[in-house]
Amino acid sequence: KRHTQARRWAESAGASEAVTFLGPVDDAAPYYSAADIYVQPTFYDPCSLVVLEALACGLPAITSRFNGVAELMTHGREGAVLQDPADAAELVAQLLPLLEPERRNLCGIQARELALQHTLDHNCRQLLAVYEECVSRRGENDERHAA
């Protein structure tokens, strides 16, 4: 159903000849490699895995502030963070600088660096630290209530 709606949007925008809808693929790496920029102006995503994948592949990314991954990004460094995903003029304004190869390559390098800072091991250590802090605070609260 999602592809049908997207196809209709592409047709109504006169872009159906320029867009290919692949559906699910087993290995997205070749598609990231073929891309210059990853754009996902989402209205809501807790933390988009595809944006993280694109960053890891060295692609500048454009997403919105409604995507949790935007909290990791620095606007203008690894790509751009849109304030309003419905604002086409804002999207164009953020996309235009990335059409310049030097700017795009620099953002791609910085995107890859950001992804390398957020490895699975790093994220697991951070999550464990939060749990340990919660357990520690609970122990402190238990001691206060027991006194």
Side-chain angles (χ1 to χ4, degrees):
K1 179 181 177 185
R2 289 174 56 191
H3 291 299
T4 304
Q5 184 179 23
R7 279 190 179 98
R8 275 187 257 156
W9 288 339
E11 288 170 10
S12 68
S16 59
E17 296 297 317
V19 179
T20 302
F21 296 94
L22 299 175
V25 296
D26 290 332
D27 182 11
Y31 300 99
Y32 290 124
S33 294
D36 292 318
I37 304 164
Y38 183 82
V39 180
Q40 185 184 21
T42 185
F43 287 93
Y44 174 75
D45 199 325
C47 190
S48 175
L49 178 60
V50 294
V51 173
L52 292 171
E53 290 172 344
L55 293 169
C57 289
L59 284 176
I62 298 177
T63 191
S64 75
R65 66 186 178 97
F66 301 108
N67 186 343
V69 76
E71 294 180 19
L72 300 176
M73 295 174 64
T74 300
H75 178 78
R77 181 173 164 79
E78 303 89 11
V81 178
L82 304 173
Q83 292 303 303
D84 181 1
D87 185 345
E90 181 187 11
L91 175 58
V92 169
Q94 298 306 320
L95 188 56
L96 284 175
L98 293 173
L99 298 179
E100 297 295 327
E102 287 181 23
R103 179 77 186 129
R104 186 173 59 246
N105 290 337
L106 177 60
C107 286
I109 290 167
Q110 294 167 327
R112 176 78 175 146
E113 289 172 357
L114 176 67
L116 290 174
Q117 293 171 16
H118 296 280
T119 63
L120 179 60
D121 187 53
H122 171 78
N123 292 343
C124 287
R125 282 194 310 270
Q126 285 188 310
L127 187 57
L128 285 173
V130 170
Y131 287 146
E132 289 169 1
E133 182 180 342
C134 290
V135 168
S136 172
R137 287 185 181 187
R138 183 174 180 189
E140 291 170 9
N141 287 337
D142 290 347
E143 289 174 13
R144 280 190 228 144
H145 291 296

